Amino acid sequence: MMPDNTRLELFRQMLRIRLIEERIGDLYAEQEMRCPTHLSIGQEAPPVGVSAHLRRDDLVFSGHRSHAHYLGKGGDLKAMLAELYGRETGCAAGKGGSQHLIDLDCGFMGSAPILASTISVGVGAAWAARLDGRDQVVVVYVGDGGTEEGTFHEAANFAGTHKLAVVFVCENNLYSVHSALDVRQPERPIHALAPAHGLHALHGDGNDVDAVHDLGGQAVARARRGEGPSLIEFATYRWREHCGPNEDLDLKYRSVEEFRAWQARDPVRVYRDRLNAAGELTAEADKAMSAAIAAELDEAVAFAKTSPFPAPDALARFVYPS
């Protein structure tokens, strides 16, 4: 049984991420955001359901599709949007853009566009926490394509060997850029890789935030008890193009029928309907929630657009450790 208001907060978090990314998609056409951006519309449930179990001092690592992971961990919306606009008030001082978010204050340790590049860094952070006697849990987000990289298997093997407090969260959205899963991997579930590396395997519906919350809770609790790492595979689907704010059905690498079938399982709408049916969400509360998020977004966009660009003499700062 979830604590009171937990399900409402899960819904609010998913709705917030959805509205933020839709606004980013709308604003992107103004050509003021000059960084590549990867939206996770349709994939809101995993970062929300997993992050609900994390403490602020737990650590999260991500890849190129990182907005939801950052926001789910408690990242600052103003700082994220300022980063997308390349402003010095951005969470990476305006130098990283969408693919290089970082916020040490909330435990979001960084995202990077090179596929799977943060996986071994996350495992290293878990190893450091072990050596320092800290009881932090590390969550490493990876896509289905990331599990095909050698570093995933090396890092997973190390985590399993040393029973580190790591939760690998695989958001399996069926595509690596434009290549479908079935032309890249043999016919077997990704979570079946886990036992070979000494990981606890879990899998579930990544569009059902209740299921995600349950599985995420199991994996985080197991890690915090010192029982070792887990790999959770969540089945989900991205709605927008691999890189950019638009739909891409014209590219024909996925069918309209498949796309519409996944849209019918919209994690936000389905959960709204579930809470409505259970009497946990009223139309008035839903409307008020959307209005509050819209106001927060307006303020954050204004902050980002009016923030200064980094000074030219700051170009080399933070490039090398001092």
Side-chain angles (χ1 to χ4, degrees):
M1 179 74 70
M2 292 188 195
D4 290 345
N5 295 324
T6 295
R7 301 214 315 169
L8 269 182
E9 180 59 17
L10 294 176
F11 173 72
R12 191 191 72 81
Q13 291 278 354
M14 287 201 300
L15 178 64
R16 180 172 181 259
I17 290 170
R18 171 69 59 87
L19 295 179
I20 289 169
E21 289 219 299
E22 287 181 340
R23 183 75 70 87
I24 291 171
D26 293 341
L27 292 169
Y28 202 77
E30 296 177 353
Q31 298 294 314
E32 290 190 50
M33 297 179 198
R34 305 303 296 173
C35 60
T37 190
H38 300 72
L39 302 179
S40 55
I41 293 172
Q43 300 183 198
E44 293 87 354
V48 169
V50 171
S51 293
H53 300 282
L54 299 179
R55 303 185 318 219
R56 192 164 179 85
D57 68 332
D58 289 329
L59 307 178
V60 166
F61 293 79
S62 177
H64 52 264
R65 203 174 308 282
S66 58
H67 301 165
H69 305 154
Y70 175 85
L71 295 167
K73 188 58 173 66
D76 186 284
L77 175 60
K78 288 183 178 178
M80 188 185 89
L81 288 180
E83 188 58 42
L84 269 60
Y85 276 96
R87 309 303 169 113
E88 69 174 10
T89 53
C91 60
K95 296 183 176 184
S98 170
Q99 300 176 101
H100 297 94
L101 305 179
I102 183 169
D103 190 339
L104 302 185
D105 287 342
C106 72
F108 189 84
M109 303 303 287
S111 57
I114 304 302
L115 196 62
S117 60
T118 58
I119 297 175
S120 57
V121 185
V123 170
W127 179 234
R130 165 76 62 78
L131 296 178
D132 292 343
R134 290 179 272 116
D135 68 340
Q136 293 165 302
V137 172
V138 176
V139 170
V140 178
Y141 288 99
V142 59
D144 45 292
T147 64
E148 297 161 9
E149 297 285 321
T151 187
F152 168 76
H153 296 278
E154 294 173 11
N157 181 71
F158 188 88
T161 299
H162 295 280
K163 295 190 179 303
L164 299 181
V166 181
V167 178
F168 299 95
V169 177
C170 176
E171 295 174 324
N172 180 0
N173 65 19
L174 302 179
Y175 291 92
S176 179
V177 190
H178 301 148
S179 297
L181 187 66
D182 60 2
V183 300
R184 306 180 347 251
Q185 297 192 23
E187 189 176 349
R188 54 102 177 89
I190 288 175
H191 63 268
L193 298 169
H197 294 304
L199 312 180
H200 181 57
L202 296 165
H203 63 98
D205 184 351
N207 279 22
D208 181 342
V209 75
D210 281 339
V212 172
H213 185 270
D214 176 49
L215 295 175
Q218 293 180 40
V220 171
R222 189 173 189 276
R224 210 175 305 279
R225 290 194 301 264
E227 296 175 6
S230 300
L231 168 64
I232 318 176
E233 179 187 3
F234 289 121
T236 186
Y237 200 77
R238 66 170 159 82
W239 292 11
R240 302 292 176 94
E241 58 191 326
H242 166 68
C243 179
N246 303 310
E247 293 187 355
D248 62 359
L249 293 178
D250 58 307
L251 298 180
K252 302 186 185 304
Y253 69 91
R254 53 182 177 177
S255 69
V256 174
E257 292 75 18
E258 177 185 276
F259 182 77
R260 298 303 178 208
W262 278 95
Q263 274 198 317
R265 298 177 54 202
D266 177 351
V268 177
R269 183 187 55 75
V270 168
Y271 205 54
R272 172 183 280 129
D273 292 346
R274 187 180 301 169
L275 296 187
N276 280 333
E280 297 178 55
L281 176 66
T282 64
E284 292 75 16
D286 193 357
K287 186 176 179 181
M289 209 177 279
S290 296
I293 295 168
E296 180 194 14
L297 250 170
D298 290 342
E299 185 178 348
V301 171
F303 170 81
K305 286 190 170 186
T306 57
S307 291
F309 287 106
D313 62 4
L315 184 62
R317 291 181 64 198
F318 311 123
V319 176
Y320 299 102
S322 58

